[in-house]
Structure formats: C-alpha cells, structure tokens
Amino acid sequence: MSLKHAVLAALLEGEASGYDLAKIFDVSVANFWAATPQQLYRELDRLAEAGLVTARVVEQERRPNKRMFSLTESGRRDLAAYTSTPPRPSAVRDELMVQVQACDEGDTAAVRAFVARRMETARAKLARYDRLRERMLAGRDEETYLDEAERVGPYLTLMRGRFFEEENLRWGARALAVLDRRAGAAESGAAKAAEAVARETGRTTAEAARGA
C-alpha cells in the first residue's frame, strides 16, 4: 500500500486541509498507516498534480491562507480500483520483540521496563481510540451504528486498532508475570545457595551471599 491511497481514503471523510489531514492520520489512521505532516503535504501536491484531488485556496485574516483538498471523480475511481487489488503481506519489525527474545542473555530488568512502557503506550492509545469511538457512536450502541452509518470502514479500522492494543496489554501482562516469576525464582535460588554455604562454613548468610 502506498501513502497515496491512505490519503485518498482519508479524504472520503470530506474536504480537508493538510493540517486537518495530519490530525485525521494522528487520531484514526495511525493504527494502520503512519505518516508525518511533511509526507502528507508532499503527497497532496502529487495527488493534485495527478488530478486525483482538487485544491481550493481559503483566504484567512491574520493567518496564512490555506488549501482545502477534496477527492475528484478520478480520485474516487482510483481508490475504488485499488480496493480490488490484493494487499501485500504485512512486514512486522518490532525492536522490542528482538530484545525480549534475547533477554535471557542480557539485561532482563531493562527489557521488563521496556515491556511495561509498551503497555503504557497501549493504554494511552486505547483511551484515544475509545474517545474517538464514543464520538462516532454518538450515543448509539455499536450494532445500531453499524446498521445505520453511511460508512463503516473507519469504524472497522478503529476496531482493529483497539483489538491490537488490547492484545498488547494481554501479552505484556503475561510477559511481565513470566519475567517476574523467573526473577523471583533466581533470587530464591541464590538465597538458598548462600544459606547452604553459610551452614557449611559457619559464616552468616549475608557474608556467604557476598562471598566474604
């Protein structure tokens, strides 16, 4: 998938400035396609040159003029054709997973902290998604919304983002429990070893643990 189609799909929501589009990406599109504001502005220029979007200038007092972008019929046809193209397999690259895989040979405590940080990020994203969900439902239950809404695509992608972050939390909780249990077992084993040395040498447990 290219940024081109992500932008065209976002403009299905209606006319938007580059700034508006950046906010849309940050709130609702980022869970499946990330882009910086600079990338969005460049892509909008390319789409306008290709005739897939049209731009009109809105004059503003005391502020710079802004351009408002909207889909053209050509842009809609391009996007419709794109939906029938088989998607490429997703490529997953997650640095945290590499660190988790290697944690037995490295700093397990640091990796544990990174997992906990991932969970905090997931909670923050879920809170943002839940606020967006409430705005979309506007007091309706989910099934009523899905029956009545003009478009369901944005809600379905939002559901995917929520499920992904919920799974991050489930995995994170399990990973922390395992790491904590193993750390506790290691500490217990070290304490028992120190006690055994103390009994054999007549030293205190603390001295044995220090190797005194």
Side-chain angles (χ1 to χ4, degrees):
M1 172 177 154
S2 67
L3 179 57
K4 163 188 171 181
H5 293 107
V7 171
L8 293 177
L11 285 173
L12 287 171
E13 297 295 318
E15 187 180 49
S17 67
Y19 176 76
D20 296 331
L21 200 63
K23 290 196 298 183
I24 292 172
F25 264 71
D26 182 57
V27 173
S28 60
V29 180
N31 76 78
F32 59 90
W33 194 268
T36 66
Q38 292 77 14
Q39 290 173 321
L40 292 174
Y41 283 114
R42 288 195 296 267
E43 189 61 38
L44 284 168
D45 287 337
R46 284 191 286 265
L47 293 174
E49 291 176 3
L52 300 179
V53 303
T54 185
R56 67 182 182 90
V57 177
V58 176
E59 295 183 359
Q60 302 184 104
E61 293 184 6
R62 301 178 183 177
R63 300 175 64 183
N65 294 341
K66 66 179 179 179
R67 291 192 299 167
M68 300 295 293
F69 297 89
S70 57
L71 283 174
T72 63
E73 286 305 314
S74 179
R76 291 180 181 275
R77 288 193 298 271
D78 188 290
L79 189 58
Y82 170 74
T83 61
S84 64
T85 303
R88 293 191 294 269
S90 298
V92 178
R93 290 175 179 161
D94 190 331
E95 188 174 4
L96 174 60
M97 293 302 102
V98 178
Q99 293 174 316
V100 169
Q101 186 172 12
C103 71
D104 304 289
E105 295 297 323
D107 189 340
T108 305
V111 173
R112 186 198 185 284
F114 298 152
V115 172
R117 189 181 305 167
R118 172 69 60 87
M119 293 177 70
E120 288 302 312
T121 300
R123 291 188 186 98
K125 287 184 177 181
L126 272 175
R128 188 164 71 244
Y129 295 158
D130 285 343
R131 289 192 295 270
L132 177 59
R133 179 175 181 268
E134 289 303 312
R135 289 200 298 270
M136 295 175 73
L137 293 179
R140 293 168 289 185
D141 62 74
E142 185 174 86
E143 294 307 316
T144 300
Y145 173 85
L146 293 174
D147 288 340
E148 298 177 350
E150 181 179 354
R151 298 177 57 233
V152 298
Y155 191 85
L156 294 177
T157 57
L158 176 64
M159 287 174 60
R160 177 67 183 91
R162 292 182 74 250
F163 291 159
F164 180 77
E165 298 306 338
E166 288 171 352
E167 177 56 30
N168 272 333
L169 289 177
R170 284 193 294 271
W171 170 82
R174 177 61 174 160
L176 292 184
V178 170
L179 293 175
D180 288 346
R181 185 173 70 241
R182 290 175 63 86
E187 291 176 1
S188 177
K192 290 179 179 178
E195 290 175 0
V197 171
R199 286 195 299 270
E200 294 174 0
T201 63
R203 290 180 291 176
T204 66
T205 301
E207 290 172 337
R210 293 195 303 269

